[in-house]
Amino acid sequence: DLNTLSSQPSTCVEAINPITMADDKGTRTPFGHAMRSHFLYDPSYLPLNHGSFGTYPKAVRNALHRWQDLSESRPDAFFRYHLGGYIDSARSAIARLLGVDSGECVFVSNATTGINTVLRSLVFEKGDAIVYFSTIYGACEKTVEYMTDTTPVESAKIEVTYPIGDDDLVAKFQNRVCQLKTEGKRARVAMFDTVSSLPGVRVPWEKLVEVCKAENTLSLVDGAHGVGHLDLKLGKVQPDFFVSNCHKWLYVPRGCAVFYVPERNHHLIRSTIPTSHGYEGLPKEGQEKLFNPFPTGRKSRFVEMFQFVGTTDISNYLCMEEALRFRDEVSGGEEKIMKYCESVANEGGHKAAEMFGTEVMNNAEKTLTKCCMTNVRLPLKLGDGEGEVKKTDAFQAVGWMAKTLVDQHDLFAPPYFHGGFFWVRFSGQIYVEVDDFVKAAKVLKGLCENIQKGEHLQRPAKL
């Protein structure tokens, strides 16, 4: 029996413990360019966009390869009998960091998967609505659109233009929820960010969770830019659902996200995506429970459901402890990492704004920049005059600039259009310095001058 076998000690899989085989010997390295030696970037590449895809240190890469070697050495033993224990160790590590119970944390491949898992698990009725801001991540808004196409739920988008004050944002949110009530509808679930993507600004998600609790609305927090980026205090805030990419800011290989569901809501998550062996269907008269070929019964249904979701390489999940070790021993710990990343992003952003003659996106409370990303207005104007960009050409100009940064200058920081202005989002990270922002700003300023001459129209970017 598989349950009996899984509880027996292994006699063949004990030769390698990837977690303890550190390659950097825990040597503390100063932040800035000295830290680049631990990462895999090409020496000529200027990385100012950690927020999109993240990256991970060589030590974590080596652990990843060792986990892969271990799984290939005896695949059946690894996947059938040992994987659950390995994942448990990784879940315990991330749960300690978040300040929650490990039984409330599982892994999914990315934040979008976690968002889909929640929305596709909930049972919607006529009159239910999904509330969200217009600045939500594009894939998540398309998920909302899919739900409105296939279920009775409707969407309730809140239009937001940054910069905006925290209290004003929360008021907009509460007013929309109350408006639904007056219309005889229900805000069934509300989805919002910890730090939004574009613009890359901190969102008062903790206050929004409190509003959800008061209004009996489920809170679904897209923490794609969360763990490793902010001090989340998740156990204190207690949202209904929370998902955060570990491959962005925590130095875990792609794709890996922690999916937190407090025990009170486990019953609402009916299936993984895709549905796999851990799914337990509703009882049906005369039908036996479908067989699960993997060990069961020692953990909650919620945890076991996410333990094996189709055959795939989940070595990235198992690198959690090595990533946290690197952050602690080599980088000095979470507080120091976050403090440096926020500081270098803000100082670098202000330097760029001075060079552009523009401004950093912020509100009166100065809360938008309390994160590791900063947004700087580019020296471009919308209009029909000489040197101005026509509104119909705005996104073409942004696309041309982004592609030119990669193709001709070996750097990237995403330019974008928001609220009638052109912006660029910079990411701070432990391997960059303020001078990197200055170098990028010089290039961006030159590209803006080229756009003013109409070059984006003569040589459109091939995306």
Side-chain angles (χ1 to χ4, degrees), residues 99-153:
V100 298
D101 188 271
S102 64
E104 298 176 320
C105 292
V106 293
F107 292 116
V108 292
S109 57
N110 49 57
T112 304
T113 300
I115 296 295
N116 273 263
T117 301
V118 174
L119 293 182
R120 296 180 191 227
S121 288
L122 296 177
V123 178
F124 293 106
E125 300 174 354
K126 186 175 177 57
D128 285 349
I130 302 171
V131 182
Y132 67 97
F133 293 107
S134 59
T135 49
I136 200 160
Y137 187 57
C140 294
E141 183 168 24
K142 289 187 176 181
T143 304
V144 173
E145 185 177 30
Y146 172 81
M147 298 305 299
T148 61
D149 288 344
T150 58
T151 76
V153 76

Side-chain angles (χ1 to χ4, degrees), residues 4 46 66 122 130-131 154 157 177 182 186 191 259 266 294 299 301 317 353 363 376 397 404 420 426 438 445:
T4 302
L46 183 53
R66 285 192 288 265
L122 296 177
I130 302 171
V131 182
E154 55 188 84
K157 181 195 285 193
V177 172
T182 62
R186 175 176 67 153
M191 177 167 44
F259 181 38
H266 283 186
F294 293 90
K299 305 167 193 173
R301 179 196 67 86
Y317 299 174
N363 55 19
V376 183
T404 305
F426 292 116
V438 173
K445 188 175 182 180

Side-chain angles (χ1 to χ4, degrees), residues 150-171:
T150 58
T151 76
V153 76
E154 55 188 84
S155 63
K157 181 195 285 193
I158 304 168
E159 293 293 339
V160 175
T161 300
Y162 281 93
I164 185 173
D166 285 357
D167 290 344
D168 290 339
L169 187 77
V170 174

Side-chain angles (χ1 to χ4, degrees), residues 122 129-132 173-174 176-178 180-181 185-192 208-220 238-241 264-265 268:
L122 296 177
I130 302 171
V131 182
Y132 67 97
F173 178 76
Q174 189 151 26
R176 189 69 181 95
V177 172
C178 291
L180 287 169
K181 285 184 179 179
K185 300 174 183 177
R186 175 176 67 153
R188 179 77 167 98
V189 60
M191 177 167 44
F192 43 84
L208 295 172
V209 169
E210 289 304 311
V211 173
C212 287
K213 290 177 181 178
E215 298 294 342
N216 198 28
T217 296
L218 292 171
S219 55
L220 170 54
Q238 284 281 306
D240 289 303
F241 308 99
R264 67 179 184 273
N265 290 330
L268 295 175

